[in-house]
Amino acid sequence: HDTGSLLIIDDEPDVCLLLKRALSPRYAQIDCAYSLAEGMEKAALMGPDVIVLDNNLPDGFGINEIHTFKNTAKATKVVMLSAMDVQTDALAAGADYFLEKPVSLKRLRSVT
């Protein structure tokens, strides 16, 4: 495939690296951000096709900013990740998909 862009927002560098490796054959551009603020900055710059968003971040909860990311780039698909069961809330807040952590790479590939 190798087209489009992906932004991974997760405060754990290991998770970013894992997801980046798992999804790299699919995207021409993949970037990582480790906080909501950094994620918003990068999303504004790159206008990613897909954002993989962790919920528990050092500067807040990803779930509260789904609408912000959706407004940054209209075509952006948001996949929310969380170890907590916030699926209903995440989808209500505008996430396209919700995946529980630890994330199944197979499921992640199927939704991104």
Side-chain angles (χ1 to χ4, degrees), residues 12-91:
E12 297 172 55
D14 291 356
V15 172
C16 282
L17 195 62
L18 178 77
L19 301 183
K20 200 171 180 172
R21 277 199 192 127
L23 299 170
S24 65
R26 299 187 160 193
Y27 293 94
Q29 183 190 9
I30 299 182
D31 206 348
C32 290
Y34 304 103
S35 67
L36 278 173
E38 189 187 1
M40 283 178 204
E41 229 171 83
K42 289 190 173 182
L45 287 171
M46 69 191 272
D49 298 297
V50 179
I51 293 176
V52 173
L53 177 63
D54 184 30
N55 190 38
N56 241 348
L57 291 157
D59 52 350
F61 292 104
I63 198 167
N64 297 332
E65 299 303 335
I66 293 171
H67 63 281
T68 310
F69 288 114
K70 288 290 219 179
N71 291 334
T72 303
K74 294 283 183 250
T76 299
K77 179 159 71 168
V78 175
V79 179
M80 172 114 245
L81 303 182
S82 181
M84 298 179 293
D85 184 14
V86 291
Q87 179 165 7
T88 311
D89 297 339
L91 296 174

